[in-house]
Amino acid sequence: MADAPNPPETALKEIAYAPYRDPEEFITEWTDRIWVQRGVGLIRENYAADSIVHGAYGTVRGVEPVVSSTLQKISAFPDRVGQADDVVWEARGDDAFVSSHRVFSAGTHAGVSAYGPPTHRPFVSRTIATCLYRRGVMEEEWVVRDELAVVRQLGLDPDAVARGLAFPAGGARSLGAPPADPLTCGDSGARPAGGARRGECEHVLGLIEEVWNGRRLDRVADFVARDVTCHTTGHRDVIRPDGYQRALLDLLAPFPDARIEIRDVAAHESAPHGGVRVGVVWLLRGTYGGTPRYGAPTGSPVEVLGASQFLFRDGRIVREWRIYDEISVLAQIAYARGDEPSPAN
């Protein structure tokens, strides 16, 4: 039985998610039909002809590039299945909603891919796709994948893979100026009632502003529970506030001047999913001049598109799923260096 709608969501009409019972079922069923059952051509029904997709390597416009990239990915990983871990959704007016869809994928590299010939090795990874749907049609998407986890499990060299992607990546690409007040209106549009689950959303934005941007790592315990778990890139899990600090240093130390912009916020409460969850799309802009995590510093600008989902319990964050593509970071740095692609790629 579907959860009763939260007060700010009662204005959402069925036309936003028909013929399904709610936005969560809409997202999970369409995902299964297209990417699991292989109804690739259904993308032309599900996505607007002029849809916009923001990813780690820039922005793509139009539905046909989505069809093309989907065919190629399925060919490279023919047994890949993307399992829906959670869908954090929120209304955008009475005929639209935004969904932060966390996907857990498993498969085998059995075909030729952008990474080279098949390795026949299995992999697991996470993705967060944030989509704006209006009257059942996808208008704009922000998608980030943990490609570092995939590359490592396939036994490939991340630096060599990044060099092969450096030229198509073309360097960093901007999303433009950030929203003035994402609690009220983000990239996906105005939030309901000035912002659903405002207390939890303010808590998350306070963590990002004070701890991430303010570098007050000593204040982590003010925002997260003692038994917090953070699932982050490279398919790594860290625990406790000190583990959370270390994972945050991995993100920030290579880019000491970085600032994280909040691009979009959505919140939802669901007992089957553990309670209140907050989904955030964020963008790091910085200069690669710090810790040499990605090789010798270049002093070049880097943009990192990321997404996080936060689970609350008793007013504290007990879990964060933090996804960003470190292969795209390596590709931007390789592009700045002028590195030649690896012969293997």
Side-chain angles (χ1 to χ4, degrees):
M1 180 176 178
D3 295 333
N6 298 316
E9 298 159 355
T10 55
L12 188 62
K13 296 177 180 177
E14 289 185 8
I15 195 172
Y17 50 82
Y20 301 103
R21 67 180 178 181
D22 59 21
E24 178 175 353
E25 186 175 78
F26 178 97
I27 292 294
T28 57
E29 289 304 307
W30 266 110
T31 300
D32 202 74
R33 290 174 67 190
I34 294 171
W35 284 278
V36 178
Q37 298 175 27
R38 311 309 193 207
V40 178
L42 292 172
I43 292 171
R44 298 187 180 99
E45 297 178 26
N46 188 249
Y47 280 57
D50 58 352
S51 57
I52 302 170
V53 178
H54 308 282
Y57 298 94
T59 296
V60 174
R61 297 177 184 271
V63 68
E64 292 307 320
V66 181
V67 174
S68 174
S69 64
T70 301
L71 284 171
Q72 293 176 59
K73 185 171 285 290
I74 291 174
S75 176
F77 306 100
D79 65 345
R80 176 186 176 274
V81 173
Q83 176 83 8
D85 268 357
D86 196 1
V87 179
V88 180
W89 65 270
E90 189 177 275
R92 292 293 180 263
D94 63 3
D95 66 347
F97 66 90
V98 67
S99 63
S100 173
H101 182 197
R102 192 176 79 246
V103 182
F104 181 81
S105 298
T108 308
H109 184 209
V112 176
S113 73
Y115 301 150
T119 62
H120 301 288
R121 293 193 180 191
F123 75 93
V124 294
S125 67
R126 289 190 177 94
T127 298
I128 296 180
T130 303
C131 295
L132 173 63
Y133 276 89
R134 191 174 310 279
R135 294 178 172 247
V137 177
M138 210 292 296
E139 295 184 344
E140 191 165 7
E141 180 177 12
W142 299 260
V143 59
V144 287
R145 301 179 177 91
D146 184 5
E147 287 299 301
L148 178 65
V150 176
V151 168
R152 284 179 171 171
Q153 290 170 77
L154 299 187
L156 302 174
D157 177 1
D159 291 299
V161 169
R163 286 194 296 273
L165 298 173
F167 295 95
R173 301 179 189 178
S174 174
L175 284 174
D181 180 11
L183 276 176
T184 302
C185 184
D187 282 351
S188 68
R191 302 185 63 225
R197 310 299 174 199
R198 190 174 183 90
E200 289 87 356
C201 292
E202 288 178 339
H203 189 98
V204 167
L205 267 60
L207 167 70
I208 293 173
E209 184 58 33
E210 296 180 35
V211 178
W212 295 27
N213 282 329
R215 313 302 197 250
R216 287 294 305 272
L217 275 70
D218 60 313
R219 294 205 55 204
V220 165
D222 294 341
F223 295 90
V224 306
R226 182 199 66 184
D227 296 321
V228 68
T229 301
C230 180
H231 310 277
T232 188
T233 57
H235 207 64
R236 294 178 299 133
D237 298 336
V238 298
I239 62 172
R240 299 282 180 129
D242 60 337
Y244 191 97
Q245 289 176 336
R246 291 194 298 273
L248 191 56
L249 285 168
D250 288 343
L251 173 63
L252 295 174
F255 319 107
D257 63 348
R259 179 165 180 80
I260 290 85
E261 304 169 356
I262 304 301
R263 307 298 311 199
D264 208 68
V265 179
H268 187 253
E269 184 171 7
S270 168
H273 291 297
V276 177
R277 297 98 68 233
V278 176
V280 175
V281 177
W282 48 267
L283 179 69
L284 179 151
R285 301 182 199 253
T287 305
Y288 183 46
T291 301
R293 180 176 176 86
Y294 308 107
T298 58
S300 56
V302 171
E303 290 185 0
V304 183
L305 180 64
S308 293
Q309 286 185 0
F310 301 86
L311 174 65
F312 278 80
R313 189 164 301 133
D314 298 326
R316 295 290 183 101
I317 295 165
V318 293
R319 283 187 187 270
E320 180 190 350
W321 292 265
R322 183 187 306 157
I323 307 299
Y324 57 99
D325 187 343
E326 287 194 270
I327 299 299
S328 77
V329 175
L330 284 165
Q332 290 178 59
I333 293 168
Y335 178 84
R337 288 196 186 105
D339 289 349
E340 293 294 330
S342 166
N345 289 297

